[in-house]
Amino acid sequence: MASAKITACMLAVVVTFLSGAEATNYTVGGSGGWKIPSSASAYSDWASQHAFEAGDVLVFDFDSSTNNVADVTKEDYDACNADSPFTVLSTSPAYYSLDTAGDYYFLCTATGHCSQGQKLAIAVAEAPSGPTSSPPGSLPPPSPTTGATASPTSVGSPLGVARLVLFMSIFLGLLC
Ligand SMILES: [Cu+2]
């Protein structure tokens, strides 16, 4: 039983480390949400403003009575063919996890909506290895700074996040 407990603890620590590479939620279309856009290029414009990584989540915010979200092939996306989607999400807000790197294609299956621009194509990159790249149990090496001025380490900086994750892991380890 002891080994099982240790395994569980180690698993918890690993999960804590992995969660350090934080996922980002993106609300598709920003505050405008998911609808027939005023401009046909609205969603490609929106997509070009973001760098999606594996593990991120798309949030589709829409009027469920007249819209939905379907993930489709590139061919169906190009042709606005809504006849053979992989999945259709019809309840807003709809969360779509971008689990792996690659290209993703979405459209609204309501008649005429896709051809009026309610379609989204995004490219998702591999998630960076992030904090997990440093050996567990060791602090990240101090960044080389010249002079006596210490580099400002804000909470949002990669170093700050790595430290936070490390402390969380140690804390978790103590609990086990
Ligand atoms: Cu629609």
Side-chain angles (χ1 to χ4, degrees):
M1 284 308 280
S3 66
K5 191 187 175 188
I6 290 168
T7 307
C9 282
M10 285 183 69
L11 208 79
V13 170
V14 167
V15 167
T16 307
F17 261 99
L18 289 178
S19 65
E22 51 196 303
T24 307
N25 280 18
Y26 291 99
T27 300
V28 175
S31 56
W34 180 240
K35 62 185 179 186
I36 298 173
S38 50
S39 150
S41 65
Y43 291 109
S44 52
D45 292 345
W46 176 83
S48 69
Q49 291 163 13
H50 302 285
F52 304 99
E53 289 170 350
D56 289 345
V57 176
L58 293 181
V59 182
F60 291 86
D61 219 335
F62 56 94
D63 179 350
S64 306
S65 63
T66 47
N67 299 279
N68 61 22
V69 183
D71 61 338
V72 297
T73 63
K74 182 184 190 307
E75 289 69 30
D76 287 348
Y77 169 86
D78 288 336
C80 274
N81 176 18
D83 293 339
S84 49
F86 297 118
T87 52
V88 179
L89 306 171
S90 47
T91 306
S92 177
Y95 295 85
Y96 190 99
S97 295
L98 306 166
D99 292 330
T100 56
D103 296 328
Y104 291 76
Y105 302 93
F106 303 91
L107 51 77
C108 174
T109 70
T111 307
H113 287 206
C114 176
S115 57
Q116 292 177 77
Q118 196 177 5
K119 61 198 293 196
L120 172 70
I122 62 167
V124 176
E126 295 280 359
S129 49
T132 50
S133 61
S134 58
S138 73
L139 279 169
S143 52
T145 47
T146 51
T149 342
S151 64
T153 307
S154 72
V155 179
S157 76
L159 193 63
V161 170
R163 281 203 177 131
L164 188 70
V165 169
L166 191 71
F167 285 137
M168 281 175 66
S169 303
I170 291 169
F171 180 70
L172 241 159
L174 289 174
L175 280 181
C176 291

